[in-house]
Amino acid sequence: MANITSVRGFRDILPEETPKWQRVEEKIRKIFFNFGIKEIRIPILEKTELFKRGIGEATDIVEKEMYTFVDRGNEQLTMRPEATASVIRSYIEHHMYEKDPVAKLFTIGPMFRRERPQKGRFRQFHQINVEFLGQDDPRIDADLMSMLIYLLTELGLEGLKLELNSLGCDTCRPAFREKVILFLKDKENRLCEDCRRRLGSNPLRVFDCKNESCQETISGAPTILDFICPECTGHFEKVTGHLEILNVPYSINKRMVRGLDYYTRTAFEITSGALGAQNAVTGGGRYDGLVQMLGGPAMPGIGFAIGFDRLISMLPDNYGEDTGSPNIFIATMGESAQGRAFSICNALKRAGIRADMDFSGKSLKAQMKRANKLNCSHTLIIGDTELEEGIAPLRNMRDGTQDSVAIKNADALIEKINN
RNA sequence: GUGGGUGUAGCUCAGUUGGUUAGAGUGCCUGGUUGUGGCCCAGGAGGUCGCCGGUUCAAAUCCGGUCACUCACCCCA
């Protein structure tokens, strides 16, 4: 009978790797706490309509990547492909803006997109999302990006590049869009198949097409920064100004656009050369129209998502390893020793000390080998008849020196280990 | 959805122009040695060679199909 395997693009994160995830999450939570960002936990399943309206009907995500199904109650549901729409839905549903229009929220969890898997891309992947709602001051944008850079640097990442652009707003982007369509109309035959299709749905995407001919064609086109309205220009200039004040290095990428429809004004991306083709570790931007679009009040917002899996893959293998705390292995010789070891081992664990032992009755050699494998700091050997008190030497594994103090009971041992 | 690469032991991989009981390293188990583990020595378990079909006296090896993994396009974090 054939074995059952995991679903394509859905992977197990094995015990060797989970400490990395835990350490990163701990550090991030601490930083978010200091920046006044509170956690929100949202469902994995939402009504399909939420993403259609939020992300945009014509986007690749909605068009062909969502896990959508009809449930037994005949309702169209979707496993979330991203978190922002859900956070906004919750913000509106619970009238959070009534209590306090300003909300700084984060959420961590899995997202689902049915793409072809490759390096740094899975069908179930994990994101750390941050949303700042209720404020459109350019300082918010700068503060958000500065925190992000700080956070990634704190985690030990190097070679990061922050790129940003402005996408304009509802009033200036449509005009720019028309201009681009007009510009490309008579050059259509020089565009790739995808871009010709995009011309009708999302012509701005031609800007970041990787096809050479497309790049050449679009290079003469007006760029959005020359075209956006004075308000948007002002906002963008202030954002970059504040970034400079905060000493955050950045570069402007006039051709960067976003694949989700809700973005307005500030859009940014952080990339790393260490990631392969899927080089974006973070992406985000402002979405001043989204709250209203989803049925809430007119309320600005900005946010980002960190690709958790990609972030983890950039960290060294030993990241998050516990090295300091004591880790005891109890080896036994003989039946009666096992009995005493059993209760001592249990007492150690309840006293907050990591401890383990072997019940299989294997040779001492095998037990010691196991202790070594578990990377134990100390091995305690308990003999069958030696030492009336019942406990033999506590031995340090690392330098081989013996500590031959006989210990009378578990309490004395705990004290010894803790001193 | 499109293209390239790869599927042989738990893991990393050899396997010459098709030819007998398919190998190594590592890991695992047992024993020896060792001032009770690391080093060394001996032995052992473990594989329908991804799956199906074809060619052949004979297929891990050649051909076709299929599935999986992987990298890239696309898209995005």
Side-chain angles (χ1 to χ4, degrees), chain A residues 27-94:
Chain A
K27 285 194 176 186
I28 283 177
R29 281 175 185 279
K30 197 165 180 198
I31 291 170
F32 285 167
F33 181 78
N34 292 339
F35 276 78
I37 307 168
K38 292 178 178 165
E39 183 175 15
I40 179 169
R41 299 195 182 191
I42 46 178
I44 282 169
L45 214 53
E46 296 276 3
K47 292 176 185 166
T48 303
E49 187 60 20
L50 174 67
F51 302 116
K52 282 192 179 170
R53 266 162 66 187
I55 300 170
E57 198 103 36
T59 58
D60 279 12
I61 294 176
V62 172
E63 248 172 26
K64 52 194 187 196
E65 294 173 1
M66 295 203 302
Y67 283 96
T68 295
F69 61 94
V70 179
D71 90 337
R72 287 160 196 262
N74 230 10
E75 200 167 21
Q76 281 265 339
L77 301 177
T78 294
M79 292 169 74
R80 61 178 184 195
E82 60 113 44
T84 302
S86 301
V87 172
I88 303 302
R89 191 224 78 227
S90 178
Y91 178 76
I92 296 167
E93 188 169 336
H94 300 286

Side-chain angles (χ1 to χ4, degrees), chain A residues 329-332 358 360-374:
Chain A
F329 191 87
I330 303 176
T332 58
D358 180 88
S360 69
K362 279 182 187 165
S363 69
L364 192 59
K365 179 178 177 171
Q367 294 181 63
M368 294 302 270
K369 210 167 174 182
R370 180 159 172 73
N372 212 38
K373 184 172 221 161
L374 293 174

Side-chain angles (χ1 to χ4, degrees), chain A residues 273-288:
Chain A
L275 286 174
Q278 307 301 312
N279 63 358
V281 65
T282 302
R286 184 160 276 290
Y287 44 81
D288 291 338

Side-chain angles (χ1 to χ4, degrees), chain A residues 6 47 49 69 80 83 94 110 131 156 204 212 217 231 245 247 252 257 259 284 361 399:
Chain A
S6 62
K47 292 176 185 166
E49 187 60 20
F69 61 94
R80 61 178 184 195
H94 300 286
E131 319 291 347
L204 302 193
E212 249 179 66
T217 309
E231 289 76 18
I245 288 168
N247 260 317
I252 293 172
V257 295
D399 58 22

Side-chain angles (χ1 to χ4, degrees), chain A residues 59-334:
Chain A
T59 58
D60 279 12
I61 294 176
V62 172
E63 248 172 26
K64 52 194 187 196
E65 294 173 1
M66 295 203 302
Y67 283 96
T68 295
F69 61 94
V70 179
D71 90 337
R72 287 160 196 262
N74 230 10
E75 200 167 21
Q76 281 265 339
L77 301 177
T78 294
M79 292 169 74
R80 61 178 184 195
E82 60 113 44
T84 302
S86 301
V87 172
I88 303 302
R89 191 224 78 227
S90 178
Y91 178 76
I92 296 167
E93 188 169 336
H94 300 286
H95 300 92
M96 288 171 66
Y97 48 85
E98 299 281 7
K99 282 179 245 164
D100 185 354
V102 177
K104 297 184 178 184
L105 304 167
F106 79 90
T107 191
I108 296 177
M111 308 294 156
F112 306 86
R113 292 183 201 173
R114 201 186 180 291
E115 300 177 274
R116 190 87 176 261
Q118 73 183 75
K119 190 180 174 73
R121 191 172 76 184
F122 310 98
R123 290 181 173 183
Q124 175 178 334
F125 59 102
H126 302 79
Q127 285 190 340
I128 300 157
N129 277 261
V130 170
E131 319 291 347
F132 284 7
L133 299 167
Q135 291 169 289
D136 61 358
D137 191 290
R139 275 172 293 200
I140 294 295
D141 304 36
D143 191 47
L144 184 89
M145 284 184 267
S146 130
M147 179 197 69
L148 184 52
I149 293 287
Y150 164 72
L151 182 156
L152 296 173
T153 309
E154 276 297 291
L155 292 173
L157 301 191
E158 287 166 7
L160 300 173
K161 219 171 100 185
L162 169 64
E163 292 181 298
L164 68 153
N165 194 15
S166 177
L167 301 179
C169 61
D170 281 350
T171 54
C172 56
R173 187 155 45 166
F176 174 70
R177 194 187 133 113
E178 288 311 310
K179 267 276 184 287
V180 172
I181 294 173
L182 209 67
F183 176 85
L184 291 174
K185 205 72 194 170
D186 53 324
K187 304 174 183 67
E188 204 176 324
N189 54 353
R190 282 154 59 189
L191 297 175
C192 70
E193 208 180 307
D194 286 326
C195 284
R196 259 175 268 166
R197 185 174 46 80
R198 284 179 189 135
L199 216 46
S201 55
N202 195 348
L204 302 193
R205 289 226 63 96
V206 180
F207 277 103
D208 68 355
C209 180
K210 281 166 188 153
N211 184 296
E212 249 179 66
S213 172
C214 295
Q215 277 307 314
E216 212 172 296
T217 309
I218 196 89
S219 63
T223 62
I224 190 157
L225 284 183
D226 304 322
F227 233 88
I228 53 179
C229 61
E231 289 76 18
C232 286
T233 308
H235 183 92
F236 189 64
E237 279 169 0
K238 281 179 193 150
V239 170
T240 56
H242 289 305
L243 282 176
E244 278 154 32
I245 288 168
L246 295 175
N247 260 317
V248 177
Y250 67 89
S251 60
I252 293 172
N253 180 350
K254 293 180 179 181
R255 294 201 301 241
M256 186 177 65
V257 295
R258 308 259 73 201
L260 287 72
D261 282 356
Y262 54 65
Y263 286 112
T264 56
R265 292 193 165 172
T266 312
F268 62 93
E269 211 169 279
I270 295 175
T271 56
S272 161
L275 286 174
Q278 307 301 312
N279 63 358
V281 65
T282 302
R286 184 160 276 290
Y287 44 81
D288 291 338
L290 183 59
V291 180
Q292 194 163 32
M293 203 193 304
L294 291 176
M299 195 65 86
I302 182 169
F304 64 76
I306 300 174
F308 207 158
D309 309 69
R310 290 181 190 178
L311 193 161
I312 294 291
S313 73
M314 294 173 71
L315 267 20
D317 284 345
N318 60 356
Y319 191 94
E321 240 172 42
D322 182 292
T323 47
S325 63
N327 182 10
I328 316 296
F329 191 87
I330 303 176
T332 58
M333 300 196 293

